[in-house]
Amino acid sequence: MPIAQKRILITGGAGFLGSHLSERLIAAGQDVLCVDNYFTGRRDNILHLLDDPRFEAMRHDITEPLYIEADEIYNLACPASPIHYQFDPVQTTKTSVIGAINMLGLAKRLKAKILQASTSEVYGDPALHPQPESYRGNVNPIGPRACYDEGKRCAETLFFDYYRQHNLRIRVVRIFNTYGPRMHPNDGRVVSNFIVQALKGEAITLYGDGSQTRAFCYVDDLIDGMMRMMAAPDDITGPMNLGNPVETSVAELAELVIELTGSRSKIVHRPLPIDDPIQRCPDISQARALLDWQPHTALRVGLQRTIAYFDRLLTERGEIAPAAEAAA
Ligand code: NAD
Ligand code: UDP
């Protein structure tokens, strides 16, 4: 049976997650309008989609109102890496809060469904482990991560107020660390940092003693979860954790990247950033029960694909020698 064609707006569509989501929705026969201000996103991420008649890209900052037509909205616009969201913290809060107000206003006018890309950062440095959606978090409201954490928390508040006050059809997903091809090579997140450092034979920068944990989800699994959430019945609003419930220490990740790249890089220790959460792992019982969703890609497999991507990218840019030359 042919699926009904929808017009789908993706804010932050030229970013890491947004570009994968665009690709998947187009492959599913939908029309995609990608809106991005290219702060951390890149045209390269969507270059292969630009000739597709179902795809349209528009440069726009969501802190300004947007007048377009759409049936569904995925609100992903916001820098996700600590380095980038702390670069201009006021703009980060504006993007999360004013951006959410603008997109919710648009959804209200259009009677469109709207999904918010929230984050495990709403749990801050969690006192409960693993984190269920009912946990209210332990966030420092005045620290360097607050622009992101509190911005995303306020966006959640706005989504639920529009839901209660205006009967808007909302979805809120709390995304845990996700990685894969098209992460920005300089975006400072741990997976891209370690892989790029290992491939270049540079020191691997381990912050603190590396015992802090994260749960790493491969991008394809995450996108599948987001699309299931959008397609779920309207009473499933979330917030819904989406992540891979396999806890890994950052030190273990460094060892695994060294093993998989065959790198001779050494590990060097750097100070742990302020308010860096010590433990992070999602409880995904809700996503399992309500969306029949769970990640399928093992960390080792996802890392191999991501390493292959960065290997190609850095070779094309002449930043590393082709594999054959390097082995000689
Ligand atoms: P990303 O930085 O690659 O993508 C964000 C995109 O938003 C970029 O293309 C950027 O240019 C765009 N953008 C930023 N501010 C904007 C603005 N004001 N107007 C228009 N566009 C703007 O990050 P990502 O990993 O793809 O994350 C996408 C979303 O998912 C973000 O909202 C992030 O908070 C959320 N998230 C991601 C992760 C993860 O591990 N990747 C985890 C939790 C939450
Ligand atoms: N990290 C690290 N070395 C790096 C980059 C990050 O040890 O080069 C650590 C960081 O301190 C944190 C974890 O890896 O404990 C995940 O960091 P990331 O910036 O990827 O995401 P977040 O802290 O937002 O989960």
Side-chain angles (χ1 to χ4, degrees):
M1 195 176 67
I3 45 165
Q5 192 169 328
K6 296 193 202 102
R7 293 160 305 176
I8 302 182
L9 166 65
I10 305 178
T11 74
F16 162 50
L17 296 181
S19 63
H20 283 275
L21 180 62
S22 298
E23 206 172 270
R24 289 274 286 274
L25 288 170
I26 286 171
Q30 311 295 4
D31 280 347
V32 169
L33 172 60
C34 154
V35 161
D36 205 295
N37 70 352
Y38 299 101
F39 172 47
T40 51
R42 291 174 297 162
R43 274 177 64 84
D44 278 357
N45 286 343
I46 51 168
L47 215 51
H48 61 299
L49 300 174
L50 289 176
D51 286 338
D52 195 309
R54 294 189 193 283
F55 184 77
E56 196 180 335
M58 177 180 177
R59 183 184 289 271
H60 176 82
D61 190 310
I62 63 156
T63 60
E64 301 294 335
L66 178 65
Y67 300 97
I68 53 100
E69 307 301 315
D71 303 301
E72 290 178 358
I73 302 172
Y74 287 85
N75 188 35
L76 270 58
C78 186
S81 142
I83 291 182
H84 287 137
Y85 69 64
Q86 290 172 25
F87 172 75
D88 185 348
V90 173
Q91 173 66 13
T92 300
T93 302
K94 282 186 185 170
T95 293
S96 284
V97 179
I98 301 175
I101 292 171
N102 286 332
M103 292 310 109
L104 285 161
L106 178 66
K108 185 176 158 217
R109 175 174 71 79
L110 298 174
K111 298 187 176 23
K113 259 196 278 188
I114 180 165
L115 179 144
Q116 167 69 357
S118 191
T119 166
S120 55
E121 286 287 321
V122 300
Y123 301 124
D125 191 7
L128 186 64
H129 195 71
Q131 294 83 56
E133 289 86 350
S134 55
Y135 178 53
R136 292 183 186 176
N138 175 32
V139 172
N140 175 1
I142 58 166
R145 294 173 85 101
C147 58
Y148 185 73
D149 301 9
E150 297 291 13
K152 289 284 189 179
R153 285 170 69 96
C154 184
E156 288 199 7
T157 306
L158 285 161
F159 267 69
F160 278 86
D161 282 336
Y162 268 79
Y163 169 66
R164 283 185 289 258
Q165 202 175 329
H166 300 297
N167 292 319
L168 216 65
R169 292 181 295 154
I170 62 154
R171 312 282 190 272
V172 174
V173 292
R174 292 181 177 159
I175 303 169
F176 284 64
N177 295 63
T178 300
Y179 69 98
R182 296 201 206 116
M183 291 184 90
H184 197 293
N186 302 325
D187 97 347
R189 280 183 275 189
V190 67
V191 173
S192 43
N193 264 15
F194 285 180
I195 293 178
V196 170
Q197 289 163 344
L199 290 174
K200 288 184 169 177
E202 294 171 355
I204 307 250
T205 51
L206 192 60
Y207 300 163
D209 63 5
S211 62
Q212 70 272 29
T213 64
R214 295 294 186 271
F216 297 103
C217 185
Y218 188 65
V219 60
D220 290 357
D221 289 330
L222 192 274
I223 299 298
D224 180 40
M226 283 174 83
M227 288 171 63
R228 280 174 191 244
M229 185 68 180
M230 187 61 108
D234 283 344
D235 59 335
I236 301 182
T237 57
M240 180 87 67
N241 286 343
L242 292 181
N244 190 354
V246 180
E247 197 178 350
T248 308
S249 76
V250 174
E252 281 168 338
L253 179 73
E255 294 296 347
L256 192 52
V257 168
I258 290 173
E259 181 204 318
L260 295 176
T261 51
S263 173
R264 292 192 201 128
S265 290
K266 295 277 172 281
I267 291 175
V268 294
H269 289 267
R270 297 275 179 264
L272 194 65
I274 299 168
D275 292 337
D276 200 279
I278 298 303
Q279 269 191 317
R280 214 19 109 51
C281 187
D283 176 336
I284 60 161
S285 327
Q286 266 209 58
R288 279 200 172 102
L290 299 175
L291 305 179
D292 190 23
W293 177 85
Q294 63 180 11
H296 294 290
T297 314
L299 182 57
R300 187 173 270 278
V301 174
L303 283 178
Q304 277 163 338
R305 292 180 194 157
T306 313
I307 289 167
Y309 165 78
F310 278 114
D311 197 22
R312 257 196 326 275
L313 184 79
L314 297 178
T315 305
E316 275 164 21
R317 290 179 174 187
E319 294 182 34
I320 59 172
E325 267 176 48

